[in-house]
Amino acid sequence: MRKNAVQGYLQTAEELAEMAALFGEDEWVPFLMAEIKAIKGQPFETAIRHTLML
């Protein structure tokens, strides 16, 4: 179940990694923080957060 929950965020994590490679932190970190805020309280929140922060 955890794998299924995380799988839905892999594309978002890849997009954030691309943004991090192309732009400064001030441009991509707000998107990361918004995603982390959006998953608050969801099942497997920690696993999803770790996926986003890779």
Side-chain angles (χ1 to χ4, degrees):
M1 290 179 60
R2 178 176 58 186
K3 183 179 178 182
N4 291 338
V6 168
Q7 201 164 21
Y9 289 91
L10 291 176
Q11 182 176 353
T12 302
E14 290 173 5
E15 291 170 0
L16 285 166
E18 288 178 27
M19 289 176 68
L22 297 172
F23 304 105
E25 286 186 9
D26 58 323
E27 294 187 45
W28 64 269
V29 169
F31 291 104
L32 172 61
M33 301 318 296
E35 287 293 331
I36 290 173
K37 185 177 179 182
I39 64 169
K40 189 166 181 77
Q42 289 189 21
F44 307 110
E45 173 186 347
T46 302
I48 296 168
R49 185 172 56 244
H50 288 170
T51 299
L52 292 173
M53 298 178 81
L54 287 177

